Amino acid sequence: MKRLMKRVKVWGVSALAFCVSAACTFFGIDFGPPTPTCYIPPEPTPTPEMVTCYEPVVPVFKATPKPAMPGDTPKGAPLILCYVMPAPTLTPTPTPEPEGRDVLRGRLLAEGRFPESVAQEL
Amino acid sequence: MAWREKLARWQRQLLAERARLTGRWSPTTGPHFILELTSTCNQDCHYCYNVWKQKPALAETVLDAAGWCALIAKLQAETGCTRLTFSGGEPLTHPGFGEILAFCHARGLESILITNGGLLDADAVAFCLAHGVRMFELTLLAAEPATHDALTRAPGSWERALSAMLCLQQAEAAWCGVFVATRRNVQQVRETLELLIALDASALMFNRCNPGGAAQLALMPTVAQVREALAVVNELAARYGVFATASIPIMPCLIETGPYRHVHFGFCSAGRENAYPTLGPDGRVRPCNHSATVLGWFIAAGSFVMGRRMVQGLVLRAEGSSEPSSIEAVEIAHCGWRRCSPDWGRGCSSSGVSPGSPCSWAW
C-alpha cells in the first residue's frame, strides 16, 4: 500500500511538473537549468554609461559600521545605494599561445622554484 | 513578472520533489554535503574562515568515527546523496578518518577531500584513491615559503603542501590547486599558480579572502588587486588549458568580469539546488561552510527529517524543532540587500555579518 501511494505521488508530481512546464512553454518562459552555478558574463556592449540602483529591503539587520579604509567615503556619509557601471573598458584578453606543462615545469626547475625535495622527484 | 517567477519556482519545487521521491538525483545538482570532520588543524591560518574561530561553541564536541558513520548512513538513507566533501579543520587529523572514508566507500559514496596537504603522503594518497576520493583540494598561498608559512603560521607548511601535490601528481590523481588571495600574497598569484600548473593541477581555484572566522578585514585584497590577479588567472587558464574558477563571490558591480572569459565565477548557492549544506564537527547543520547559522543539530543518535524543500536548500526541518529555518530568508535578512541584478547570483552574506566586516558586496 505504501509503495502504491508513493507511485501515485510520483505520478502526480510528474504530471504536475509536466503541466507547469507546458504552461511555461505556452507563455514563452524558458527556464533552462534552475539556477546557473556560475555567472556568465555578457558580451561587452558599447553602452556609454549606465546607472543602476540597488533596491534596499526593509532593514531587518543593522549592518556593522564599515571600518574606514583608504579611499572610503568619509565616516558618517550616507550609504550609497547606486553605483555607476562604467562603459566596458576592458576587452577580452587575447588567448595566448598554448604552452605545455612540461615546458613550464622545465622552466621552473631551471629557475629553482621548487623546494629541493620536490625538485629531485620531478 | 511576479506570477512568472512564482511559476518558475513552482516548477523547480515540483521537479525537486520528483527527484526526492524517485531517488534519481541529477549528478550536477546534488545533494551534496560538506562534512567538517574535526575542528583540529595542524595550521593556524590567518585567513581561516572556520566559523568556530568566532563561535567556539560550534565545535565544542567532535563526533568520533562511529558517530560520523551513523550520520553519513542517515544522510544517505534520507537524501540519497552520492557525494560528500570532507573538510575541517584538517580532516586528516581526525583519528577515524580512514575508518570514515572506508565506510563511505563501502556504501558507494564518492568524496572530495579538502586538505592543507600537511599529512598527505604517498600512502595516504593511495588509500584515498582506493576509497573513493575523486578530487583533492589543496591550498598554496605563495611561490616562496616565507609568505606561505607566515599566512599559515605553520613553519614548513609550504614545502609540505608542495610535497603533497607532488604525491598527487605521481599518483595521477585529480586535484584542484587553491590560491587564497589576501593583501599579503596576491602579488604572487602568477608565480604560485605556475607552480600548481607545473605539478599537473587539474583545476585552479582563485578565492579572494572572505572575512569571517579568523580572517579580518585587513587581509582583504583591494578591488584593484583582485582585478589584476584575475587577469593573470585568466591568462594562465587559457595558456595551459586548465579549468579556473573564482568560487568566493566577486560581484560584477565591483569588478567587470566580462574580460575574464576563462574564469568561471561562482555565487552563493545557499538556498539553491546546488547548495552544499555543511555539517560541523558535532553534526550540526549550517547552510554552507562559511555560515555560522545553525539550522539543526542532527547528531547521529537523534532522528531527523529533511523537509521536502531541503532538496532545494530552502527549508530544513529538524524533527522536534518548533520552526523550520528558511535559509533564503536568513541570507537576505543578514545581508539586507537584494541581489543586484536578476542575472547575478548572490554575494556571500555570511561574511557580511562577521564582526568588524561590512557586507562583502560593499567590499
Side-chain angles (χ1 to χ4, degrees):
Chain A
M1 191 62 188
K2 204 174 172 184
R3 289 182 65 180
L4 181 68
M5 283 301 291
K6 187 178 174 183
R7 290 183 75 169
V8 170
K9 212 171 171 185
V10 170
W11 184 88
V13 167
S14 302
L16 264 174
F18 174 80
C19 292
V20 173
S21 297
C24 293
T25 309
F26 180 77
F27 288 113
I29 303 171
D30 179 21
F31 296 114
T35 308
T37 50
C38 294
Y39 167 71
I40 301 165
E43 291 287 333
T45 55
T47 315
E49 197 175 70
M50 186 172 70
V51 177
T52 309
C53 294
Y54 296 110
E55 188 185 355
V57 295
V58 180
V60 290
F61 173 80
K62 197 173 186 319
T64 312
K66 182 183 177 184
M69 291 182 73
D72 271 355
T73 48
K75 205 174 179 183
L79 188 64
I80 297 168
L81 295 182
C82 300
Y83 71 92
V84 177
M85 182 180 280
T89 50
L90 300 168
T91 49
T93 48
T95 303
E97 284 297 309
E99 184 186 8
R101 294 193 191 215
D102 291 339
V103 176
L104 174 67
R105 197 178 301 123
R107 176 165 66 82
L108 298 188
L109 276 170
E111 292 173 1
R113 298 262 294 275
F114 290 104
E116 194 58 38
S117 59
V118 173
Q120 284 173 355
E121 297 283 330
L122 282 170
Chain B
M1 291 304 288
W3 65 272
R4 281 173 174 247
E5 285 171 16
K6 210 168 181 178
L7 205 57
R9 195 183 183 89
W10 193 28
Q11 189 198 35
R12 287 200 292 271
Q13 287 174 354
L14 283 166
L15 290 173
E17 175 68 0
R18 184 173 60 178
R20 191 186 71 84
L21 285 166
T22 59
R24 288 197 295 269
W25 295 84
S26 161
T28 56
T29 56
H32 188 191
F33 296 91
I34 294 181
L35 309 184
E36 293 171 335
L37 294 184
T38 176
S39 56
T40 305
C41 189
N42 49 353
Q43 296 185 173
D44 185 19
C45 301
H46 276 294
Y47 61 84
C48 180
Y49 59 79
N50 280 154
V51 293
W52 50 83
K53 293 289 174 82
Q54 283 182 1
K55 294 186 176 178
L58 289 173
E60 275 176 353
T61 59
V62 175
L63 292 177
D64 60 10
W68 275 116
C69 291
L71 193 59
I72 289 165
K74 199 172 268 288
L75 270 181
Q76 192 182 23
E78 296 192 12
T79 71
C81 64
T82 57
R83 288 177 301 160
L84 297 171
T85 292
F86 296 114
S87 178
E90 168 53 47
L92 291 173
T93 62
H94 193 293
F97 174 78
E99 188 183 336
I100 296 167
L101 188 61
F103 177 81
C104 291
H105 183 55
R107 297 179 67 93
L109 288 163
E110 291 187 348
S111 50
I112 296 169
L113 179 62
I114 300 176
T115 171
N116 59 40
L119 300 171
L120 195 66
D121 56 16
D123 290 340
V125 169
F127 179 82
C128 289
L129 289 174
H131 290 85
V133 176
R134 294 288 171 261
M135 175 64 84
F136 299 79
E137 275 186 33
L138 284 88
T139 302
L140 192 66
L141 300 163
E144 38 79 26
T147 305
H148 179 102
D149 293 358
L151 277 168
T152 61
R153 289 187 277 206
S157 57
W158 182 77
E159 189 163 343
R160 287 194 292 273
L162 283 169
S163 297
M165 291 168 188
L166 177 68
C167 291
L168 292 169
Q169 187 224 19
Q170 292 176 337
E172 297 181 359
W175 65 281
C176 175
V178 184
F179 180 86
V180 181
T182 71
R183 205 168 282 206
R184 298 185 194 173
N185 68 334
V186 69
Q187 303 83 357
Q188 297 189 37
V189 63
R190 177 183 294 278
E191 294 77 10
T192 310
L193 295 186
E194 282 180 348
L195 287 175
L196 297 174
I197 295 167
L199 287 170
D200 288 337
S202 319
L204 301 177
M205 193 182 289
F206 174 88
N207 286 348
R208 67 163 173 86
C209 174
N210 214 19
Q216 296 301 313
L217 200 62
L219 272 180
M220 290 283 282
T222 65
V223 170
Q225 285 175 323
V226 171
R227 192 180 287 125
E228 286 172 23
L230 280 171
V232 172
V233 178
N234 186 65
E235 179 202 323
L236 294 176
R239 173 168 291 162
Y240 297 103
V242 59
F243 179 84
T245 178
S247 291
I248 301 295
I250 294 175
M251 301 310 286
C253 54
L254 293 171
I255 293 179
E256 188 187 342
T257 53
Y260 313 113
R261 300 211 166 273
H262 301 282
V263 182
H264 297 256
F265 289 88
F267 291 105
C268 171
S269 63
R272 312 277 172 194
E273 286 82 352
N274 59 337
Y276 42 89
T278 299
L279 284 80
D282 57 4
R284 275 186 278 188
V285 182
R286 311 192 312 275
C288 79
N289 51 347
H290 287 266
S291 172
T293 303
V294 175
L295 301 167
W297 197 333
F298 303 130
I299 53 174
S303 171
F304 69 88
V305 175
M306 297 277 182
R308 65 181 61 179
R309 285 181 172 181
M310 179 59 202
V311 173
Q312 295 174 296
L314 289 176
V315 174
L316 190 149
R317 189 195 306 272
E319 196 172 83
S321 72
S322 53
E323 291 289 331
S325 306
S326 165
I327 296 175
E328 195 164 60
V330 166
E331 291 290 327
I332 291 173
H334 276 184
C335 183
W337 294 86
R338 292 186 197 279
R339 58 181 179 172
C340 310
S341 156
D343 294 333
W344 302 345
R346 290 199 305 263
C348 178
S349 51
S350 295
S351 67
V353 295
S354 301
S357 160
C359 171
S360 64
W361 295 8
W363 154 70

